[in-house]
Structures are given as structure tokens and as C-alpha cells.
Amino acid sequence: MTPDDLAIIIARVLNELVASGRLAQFEFGEVVVERPKNREHGDWATNVAMQFAGKAGLKPREFADILAPALEAVEGIESVDVAGPGFINITLAAGAAGSIAKQIVEAGASFGLGDALKGISMNLEFVSANPTGPMHIGGARWASVGDSLARILQSQGAKVTREYYFNDHGAQIDRFARSLLAAARKEPTPEDGYAGAYIEQIAQKVLDGTAEDILALPEAEAQEAFRAAGVELMFGEIKTSMHDFGVDFDVFFHENSLYESGAVQKAIDRLRELGHIFEDDGATWLRSTTFGDDRDRVILKSDGEAAYIAGDLAYYLDKRSRGFDRCIYMLGADHHGYVNRMMAMCAAFGDTPGVNLEIMIGQLVNLVRNGEPVRMSKRAGTVVTMEDLVDIVGVDAARYALVRSSINSMVDIDLALLEKKTNDNPVFYVQYAHARTKQVAVNALSLGVDTSEFEPALLNHPSEEELLAKLIEYPRITAGAAELREPHRVARYLEEVAGAYHRWYDNCRVTPISGGEVETVHRTRLWLNSAAGVVLNNGLGLLGVSAPERM
RNA sequence: GCCCCUAUAGCUCAGGGGAUAGAGUGUCGCCCUCCGGAGGCGAAAGCGCAGGUUCGAAUCCUGCUAGGGGCGCCA
């Protein structure tokens, strides 16, 4: 019996009590069933008496005293107590909790899947770093969080497309191209250009990769040649480093294509039809203040060039036309000022901000070494890239360290700590627990413990009750992480599962002590051991972290 | 000046209005005669400040303080 089962039972009993006149008619909301922190408060507890008593014209204790006996009569419930201000504490019958172990094992990879997002087509755009330099740590955070979120949303039935937006149009790319050209000519970096060893390397690669003598071309043609080839090289590097990080995008979208296809002009025309465009000072504006922005926005500058937002208008429209019900953008904190105008744009197109368009703002990552901030400078060549991070700690540890915190929190990544490759990183704690489940199973099998028997009532040690209760929560955790767009909940939960598993391992043997008889309890525990392995494996899978069989 | 995020144990961070606020790490003390000690058990140690809402606030609201980020016809 799971807490969700209990919630359904409680709702049913409440309806019956109302129908029979024991409770006055009242409208009740969601029934919350939680694991009490204190085990003396039973296996599960609900606060419905405190939530609904007022609506039913009763005091919480009175309400609880009516509900509790009715619940106690339900099959599988051992006892029900009313405590404190009106908590209803439920203790399950022996075996009612343990049966879940077998269900988990039999469900296997499908344990934890849900259908809350079934049929919803979602577009997740993340990373989208400019192709003008190596991937930085901030991009790595989004790669980790975005890909994990995609996996979690998929687990709840959503149809998810991972998308990367290449800003390969506009002034930054021009600066990038000029910088490459200058480097190839051994000239100093242009004013406001990009510097660094990587620029020289790319410039050299461009030269090596073309038969003709680019440097002999006229200025404009040479710059264009470096732009095209340089950007292509950067695309390749970004795709490779993302893939090596376990992140494979379904769509790499090129900003430039929006201009070449006329999509930008169409988007502006559409807004003009809707009456949200005006001209002033020789520029074309979006009247975004109509939709809550704090000022109107220029979309075509007075010199005729498109402002950055023009591409976003067309891009959003393009996503919607491709059938995405929900477009989720993941942006760094340095772009939070962009949220209002994006939401205004969404509303201007007639969509619903917050539904069709969601924007997640992630705080920046601080790199520190022994607690001291690491100063990063492209010029000084002290930029720490995503690849550096992976080289130091590996993909699993890097992804895990970046996904286990809320995106609302600034995260400190301490290089000195990670370089030690010690067990400071909790990912090892979780992975070790998984490896242990595998090795215990191997060992058990070799000693003749099989799965021919399952007697859930034997899973009655406190540490097995705790482990079972923790495992049962998994579907709720994944559903909650999907709904709230918070992958870190899965990581934190897995750490709790690992802890519960280690404590159980310490208390309850799956194999008999040497020379001992294999008993039903050992076979039953093998099921529980496997159930823990399933949850750890499934959960790590949602985070894009490997679940090794040995370490 | 305005906007966003943050403030919880020595440190890094969890904590969706509920009962005695958790984990990792660090410190101190234990457990190697048995399935992996990358583990377990115990101890010390905390909600920035002031109000408010509520039966109940780390959580919601207001103000203050402190830190990070952002407020272009830049991208």
C-alpha cells in the first residue's frame, strides 16, 4: 500500500461519511498523505482533519475522531490514531508496505513513470551559448539541468524536444569573424574583439581547412570566409562537447535561418496586423507595455538592422508553428531582464505567458579554489571550460554536482575539492549504493538465495520499513520534479534512498551467515535489495548519471 | 532609483504552511569473526534582523540589512 493508495482510500472514506450523514456536506481538496518525521507517529500521516474541519463545521479533533475509526476498518490498515492538533496517524498492517518491493522489481525501468504530461509537446531550449568561444561552466550547468529536466518530463509522458539556439547572426559573430581574420594575419585583436589562444587555434584551422588562400581575398570576402568556417568549427566543438557530456540535442536551430527565410519579417507583419507595432524615431517598435513590460521595445533599429529581439519573435512563432504546446527557455541570471519582454511578446501573439512560454532563470556558477574565487579571464587564458571540468572530475560527478542544487541558488564549484577525487561528491555515495545492490545480488545468487519466495510481512525490521517507505516515494518525487521543473529533487531523493539502503544493508543480511540455512526471509530480502537497485538505477538515469555495477 | 535571485550547522547545500529543521563534508568518539568500511552508529553545531497573516511559518506578506545579477535603437 502506497501513500497515494492511502490518499485515495481517505477520499473514498470521506465521501462515504458524507453520504451516510456522519459528516456534513463539504467541498474538499487534495488529500495529503506524508511520512511523519517521527516514527512513533505511525507509518503515514494526513492533515485532512486540520484542512477540512472548518469547511465541515467541526473542530479538527472532532473531524479526526469521526474519520479515524472509519479508516481503521479498512483492509490493510492496522491502526489509526489522532494526535496533536488533529493529525491522523496511520499504521499499516504487516506486509501491506512490503508488497511494494516485488511490484517495484516487476515494474523495473517503468517504475516511476507517470502520465501527468501525457500528450503535451514541450520544447526545451537550453545552453544556447554563442558559438564564439569554448563552452563555459554556466553552459555546463544548463546542459546538466536541462537534459535532466528533459528526461524527467519525458518520464511523465511529455513529448520533449531538446533544442539549442545558435546565435549565428549579428554583431557578436561579426566581431568573432574579425578577430579570426586578425589572428590569421598575426595582427592585434581588434577593438571589442575576442582574444585568447582558442581564437588563434581556430584561425589556423580555418587556414588549414581551405585550399584557396583566404588571406589574399578582399577584406569583406576574407572576413566572410572566416565567419562561415569559424562558426562551423565552433558548432562542431559545441556539439561534440555536449555529446561527450551526455547531452544530445534534437534540434540545433540557427538564428541566421530566421533572417534568410523571411520569418522575422513575417513575425513583425503578424504583430502589425494585431496592432502591436508602431513607428517612432525612424525605428519599428513593439508596444510591449500593453502586456506588462516596463517599456516598449525596438525591433527594427533606425538604421534598418534588426534588434536582437526580432529574432526571438520569429523563433518563438516558429516553435509554436512546429506544434509545441509549451516552450521552455532556460536563461542565466544575467538575462533575467529579458523575461518581461519575452512574456509580453508571447501575450502579443495571443498566447498565454507562463503556459505556452515558460522561462527558467538559473543563477550563475561561481568557481572557487579552496574557497577563494577563481578569476576567469579570456585574455589571461584562465577560463575554465566545461571540458576542463569534465577532465578533472568526469562526466558523472560534473553533471551531478551541477544538478543537485536548485537553479535559484548560486553554486560554488570548488576545483580544489573536486580535483582531490575523494568521496566529497555525493554522487559516489549514490553510485556506491547502486553498485552494492548489484554485488549483493550476485553474491546472494551464488550462495543459493533466489527469488522463489516473497513474504512481505517478513520485511519488518525498522531499517527495512524505512527503506520501503523511501522507495515508495519515488513516483511522487519524479512527478513533483517534473511539475516544478526541479531536477535537483531527484538527486536529493536518491541520496536519501542511498542512506536508507546502506543502513538496511548494515542491519539485514540477504545471505545467511556462513553455514546458515537459506530461509524465506533471505529470499524476500533479495526482492527488496533488487527494488532498491531499480529505484537507484532509474533515478540516476533521469539525471544522466551512470549506475555502475561495481566501482 | 527600479527589477530578479539568495541569506538555514565551521563549509557546500536540501527542506511544496505541519509534530523534535536534514544530508554531505569537517571536528570528536565508536563499529573490521562473515553479503563491498567508497559503509554504519553516537556527539557537538543552525533558520540574517523586525513586524504581520495563520490553530500552526525556515516556508506566505511587508520593511530593513548583507551578497550576487540585471536594467541600451548591445547581443
Side-chain angles (χ1 to χ4, degrees):
Chain A
M1 186 171 312
T2 71
D4 290 333
D5 294 336
L6 272 177
I8 292 166
I9 289 168
I10 290 166
R12 193 190 71 219
V13 170
L14 283 172
N15 276 318
E16 289 168 1
L17 289 170
V18 169
S20 67
R22 302 275 317 279
L23 284 173
Q25 184 75 39
F26 70 99
E27 186 183 342
F28 58 90
E30 190 190 2
V31 173
V32 176
V33 175
E34 287 179 322
R35 184 80 172 172
K37 286 171 194 150
N38 187 336
R39 279 316 312 281
E40 290 170 13
H41 294 147
D43 295 324
W44 300 98
T46 180
N47 63 356
V48 289
M50 290 176 291
Q51 293 293 333
F52 304 153
K55 292 179 184 172
L58 295 170
K59 290 176 179 173
R61 294 287 303 212
E62 294 171 343
F63 187 102
D65 285 336
I66 293 171
L67 176 57
L71 277 179
E72 204 158 42
V74 172
E75 168 104 27
I77 293 178
E78 172 72 24
S79 63
V80 180
D81 296 306
V82 180
F87 288 103
I88 296 175
N89 296 329
I90 300 165
T91 301
L92 298 180
S99 59
I100 192 74
K102 192 173 184 183
Q103 292 170 32
I104 291 172
V105 175
E106 287 170 345
S110 67
F111 182 64
L113 299 185
D115 56 8
L117 300 175
K118 195 176 167 91
I120 297 180
S121 185
M122 308 180 92
N123 182 287
L124 264 65
E125 185 205 324
F126 53 102
V127 185
S128 296
N130 287 336
T132 56
M135 190 60 56
H136 52 281
I137 298 287
R141 183 177 200 180
W142 276 127
S144 177
V145 172
D147 184 60
S148 294
L149 181 57
R151 292 165 189 248
I152 289 165
L153 293 171
Q154 283 172 323
S155 81
Q156 302 307 304
K159 191 165 164 287
V160 175
T161 293
R162 294 165 175 81
E163 192 148 326
Y164 189 122
Y165 185 54
F166 276 126
N167 302 125
D168 57 351
H169 178 95
Q172 284 200 34
I173 289 294
D174 291 342
R175 285 207 287 272
F176 177 63
R178 285 201 304 275
S179 303
L180 290 178
L181 180 56
R185 289 173 172 165
K186 310 292 184 197
E187 290 171 359
T189 301
E191 189 77 13
D192 73 7
Y194 294 90
Y198 77 95
I199 288 288
E200 291 168 27
Q201 287 164 10
I202 292 168
Q204 191 58 48
K205 277 189 193 172
V206 172
L207 289 175
D208 293 346
T210 41
E212 60 177 328
D213 185 2
I214 306 177
L215 294 177
L217 293 171
E219 177 77 16
E221 286 177 40
Q223 185 177 318
E224 168 56 24
F226 273 100
R227 186 201 65 78
V231 163
E232 206 53 49
L233 282 169
M234 287 310 307
F235 288 162
E237 285 194 19
I238 288 169
K239 288 177 188 176
T240 300
S241 56
M242 282 294 147
H243 175 78
D244 292 345
F245 202 59
V247 182
D248 288 297
F249 288 90
D250 302 295
V251 175
F252 287 93
F253 198 96
H254 294 244
E255 180 186 12
N256 211 28
S257 71
L258 293 168
Y259 291 90
E260 290 172 346
S261 70
V264 169
Q265 192 54 50
K266 278 185 198 157
I268 295 170
D269 291 344
R270 176 82 187 118
L271 288 170
R272 199 184 300 275
E273 286 166 26
L274 292 165
H276 305 314
I277 298 289
F278 67 97
E279 312 289 332
D280 191 32
D281 271 348
T284 301
W285 299 66
L286 170 65
R287 201 180 296 282
S288 54
T289 49
T290 308
F291 305 100
D293 199 359
D294 49 4
R295 52 175 298 173
D296 294 322
R297 303 294 170 178
V298 168
I299 49 182
L300 293 178
K301 297 186 269 184
S302 50
D303 65 3
E305 289 290 312
Y308 183 76
I309 192 175
D312 276 325
L313 299 174
Y315 187 30
Y316 174 73
L317 217 49
D318 183 88
K319 284 178 179 171
R320 295 285 284 134
S321 74
R322 279 186 277 146
F324 295 110
D325 308 319
R326 294 169 179 252
C327 303
I328 300 181
Y329 289 68
M330 306 187 188
L331 305 176
D334 52 340
H335 286 86
H336 100 271
Y338 219 62
V339 172
N340 278 345
R341 75 193 72 170
M342 290 285 281
M343 290 300 182
M345 166 204 79
C346 169
F349 280 125
D351 280 349
T352 308
V355 175
N356 299 299
L357 172 62
E358 282 180 51
I359 299 180
M360 294 168 61
I361 298 296
Q363 299 303 307
L364 305 179
V365 180
N366 286 321
L367 275 177
V368 298
R369 189 185 294 280
N370 292 321
E372 296 294 313
V374 175
R375 293 208 172 274
M376 290 205 287
S377 158
K378 280 189 179 177
R379 283 176 202 287
T382 55
V383 175
V384 178
T385 66
M386 185 171 100
E387 288 178 341
D388 295 335
L389 181 65
V390 170
D391 284 346
I392 294 169
V393 302
V395 171
D396 284 346
R399 284 188 65 139
Y400 194 88
L402 290 167
V403 82
R404 74 186 288 267
S405 294
S406 161
I407 60 167
N408 289 334
S409 297
M410 288 185 290
V411 169
D412 285 352
I413 296 289
D414 193 314
L415 295 171
L417 205 62
L418 295 176
E419 279 166 353
K420 281 192 285 181
K421 291 195 177 184
T422 60
N423 309 309
D424 297 340
N425 195 321
V427 72
F428 294 123
Y429 184 74
V430 178
Q431 288 183 312
Y432 179 70
H434 177 265
R436 198 174 232 185
T437 66
K438 293 296 180 187
Q439 296 310 308
V440 165
V442 166
N443 212 307
L445 243 52
S446 73
L447 289 172
V449 180
D450 57 31
T451 53
S452 60
E453 289 183 291
F454 181 69
E455 190 51 63
L458 294 175
L459 299 174
N460 59 5
H461 187 276
S463 67
E464 359 202 52
E465 289 173 356
E466 283 307 311
L467 178 56
L468 281 163
K470 195 54 73 179
L471 297 178
I472 288 169
E473 283 186 274
Y474 181 65
R476 282 186 165 190
I477 297 296
T478 54
E483 180 195 341
L484 296 169
R485 325 284 194 238
E486 293 186 349
H488 75 274
R489 288 171 180 273
V490 174
R492 299 296 176 152
Y493 165 78
L494 291 178
E495 291 169 25
E496 292 174 11
V497 172
Y501 176 76
H502 287 311
R503 282 186 287 279
W504 170 72
Y505 171 89
D506 210 54
N507 284 287
C508 301
R509 295 183 57 89
V510 174
T511 58
I513 296 176
S514 59
E517 196 86 1
V518 174
E519 298 172 13
T520 307
V521 66
H522 299 121
R523 300 193 177 95
T524 302
R525 282 176 180 164
L526 183 54
W527 284 95
L528 179 55
N529 180 74
S530 300
V534 165
V535 169
L536 290 167
N537 180 67
N538 292 0
L540 286 171
L542 291 180
L543 300 179
V545 173
S546 71
E549 306 221 338
R550 57 173 55 86
M551 296 174 69

